Amino acid sequence: MECVREIFARHHLRCTKQREAIYNALRASEGHPTAEALFRQVKPSMDSLSLATVYNTLEVLCRAGLVQKMPTTNGCCRYDADVREHLHVRMTGTDEIQDVPDELGQRLLQHQPAEVLQSIERALGVKIEGVNIQLIARPRTSDSKPQNGTH
Amino acid sequence: MECVREIFARHHLRCTKQREAIYNALRASEGHPTAEALFRQVKPSMDSLSLATVYNTLEVLCRAGLVQKMPTTNGCCRYDADVREHLHVRMTGTDEIQDVPDELGQRLLQHQPAEVLQSIERALGVKIEGVNIQLIARPRTSDSKPQNGTH
DNA sequence: GTACGTGCAAAATGTTTGCATCATT
DNA sequence: AATGATGCAAACATTTTGCACGTAC
């Protein structure tokens, strides 16, 4: 994984312990943590850390294009250190969001019909800059169709 | 447009003036208003209305499946009385969200490759219940490509 | 008449801000 | 050394809640 220091330098961001720790925690995280969750995760190893710094840092990283902020319906936002165009799955019920494995996600993104997108651009008089796809899914429980045990 | 009273009855919801006015305002609205915006819109013709009632009503309507709640990155949620699967366009910069004309939106939705979706279901062990597509777009200004003047 | 909805104010939640201090460049 | 980041607390914005009263069924 590339050195945070260099990434920050390239984006003209000061490299502080706090930013480094927060960004690393976010990059390492499996899911898409909230600011609170990141705070709780980093705080133990940096007792002086304040929640405001987490928010400030996340905002800076978002503005620099290093982090993606994702709204949820339940009030708080979630963050993602992967800023490439990729797919999310939101579980009904919880507001947990997980990534779709890249190979599969790319396949879906590549199937978007350019021709339809162009029609939409013309119809609305806009330039489409991204396609954000979120799948809504329910976990396959034992009482529904059997699953493949992939995991 | 179908009578609100009947729609509510079918969903076992009491029909109060407030609910009726809020739901009608939402159905009639072009964009995807926030609770605040709905409140400001309905308040003049119903002076006793309280913002809490707007929130309560929207929650009830969401739970009944009559309204869709949409998160935004800027704190407040937006609401949509159209609960069919349809496409949204979010403008970069503002948090305004608008609908894609249904014919075009359906074309895009129908182009989603079922085969890839099934692979994702298998890979994650989930059942996909919906595909939520949001286009990110920038308005075509005069200094970019000319537009069709549709609107 | 009863169960449920409303309005109000207060609380809860998530996020931002002002300012003195501190660290990175 | 100077510019900008941090930590704290207070402010802020949005949404939820408790309770007395009112209304739809």
Side-chain angles (χ1 to χ4, degrees), chain A residues 57-77:
Chain A
T57 297
L58 288 171
E59 216 230 295
V60 165
L61 295 180
C62 282
R63 277 225 291 269
L66 288 174
V67 165
Q68 209 177 330
K69 182 180 185 178
M70 303 185 302
T72 75
T73 35
N74 85 146
C76 63
C77 287

Side-chain angles (χ1 to χ4, degrees), chain B residues 5 14-15 51-52 55-56 75-77:
Chain B
R5 181 158 222 93
R14 282 201 183 174
C15 184
L51 182 54
Y55 278 108
N56 289 336
C76 62
C77 286

Side-chain angles (χ1 to χ4, degrees), chain B residues 1-5 7-8 20-31 33 38 41 66-67 80-82:
Chain B
M1 184 124 47
E2 195 188 350
C3 171
V4 175
R5 181 158 222 93
I7 299 177
F8 283 5
E20 190 170 357
I22 292 164
Y23 185 51
N24 274 331
L26 184 54
R27 289 206 293 176
S29 77
E30 282 293 313
L38 279 170
Q41 195 187 327
L66 288 173
V67 164
D80 192 344
D82 185 353

Side-chain angles (χ1 to χ4, degrees), chain A residues 72-140:
Chain A
T72 75
T73 35
N74 85 146
C76 63
C77 287
R78 290 180 172 275
Y79 297 86
D80 191 344
D82 185 353
V83 292
R84 295 167 310 171
E85 194 160 70
H86 67 286
L87 264 58
H88 291 133
V89 177
R90 175 162 53 82
M91 292 301 161
T92 43
T94 74
D95 263 289
E96 293 282 318
I97 296 174
Q98 59 181 265
D99 283 340
V100 172
D102 213 49
E103 193 263 324
L104 288 167
Q106 290 310 320
R107 258 164 79 197
L108 198 74
L109 285 165
Q110 276 151 25
H111 272 82
Q112 299 310 308
E115 168 262 310
V116 178
L117 292 174
Q118 278 164 26
S119 304
I120 294 173
E121 286 189 330
R122 277 196 302 276
L124 300 179
V126 299
K127 175 89 188 72
I128 293 175
E129 304 190 314
V131 180
N132 200 304
I133 301 182
Q134 199 178 292
L135 305 174
I136 318 299
R138 172 191 309 282
R140 268 272 168 74

Side-chain angles (χ1 to χ4, degrees), chain B residues 36-102:
Chain B
E36 257 296 316
L38 279 170
F39 176 65
R40 282 200 309 270
Q41 195 187 327
V42 176
K43 180 84 174 174
S45 56
M46 186 181 289
D47 199 58
S48 72
L49 185 69
S50 106
L51 182 54
T53 297
V54 176
Y55 278 108
N56 289 336
T57 297
L58 288 171
E59 217 230 292
V60 166
L61 296 180
C62 283
R63 278 225 289 266
L66 288 173
V67 164
Q68 208 178 330
K69 183 178 184 179
M70 301 185 301
T72 75
T73 36
N74 84 147
C76 62
C77 286
R78 290 179 172 276
Y79 297 86
D80 192 344
D82 185 353
V83 291
R84 295 167 310 172
E85 193 159 70
H86 67 287
L87 264 57
H88 290 132
V89 177
R90 177 162 52 83
M91 293 300 161
T92 42
T94 74
D95 264 289
E96 294 283 317
I97 295 174
Q98 60 181 265
D99 283 340
V100 172
D102 213 49

Side-chain angles (χ1 to χ4, degrees), chain A residues 17-35:
Chain A
K17 316 190 252 322
Q18 290 88 341
R19 287 181 178 182
E20 191 171 355
I22 293 164
Y23 186 50
N24 274 331
L26 184 54
R27 289 206 293 175
S29 76
E30 282 293 314
H32 297 295
T34 61

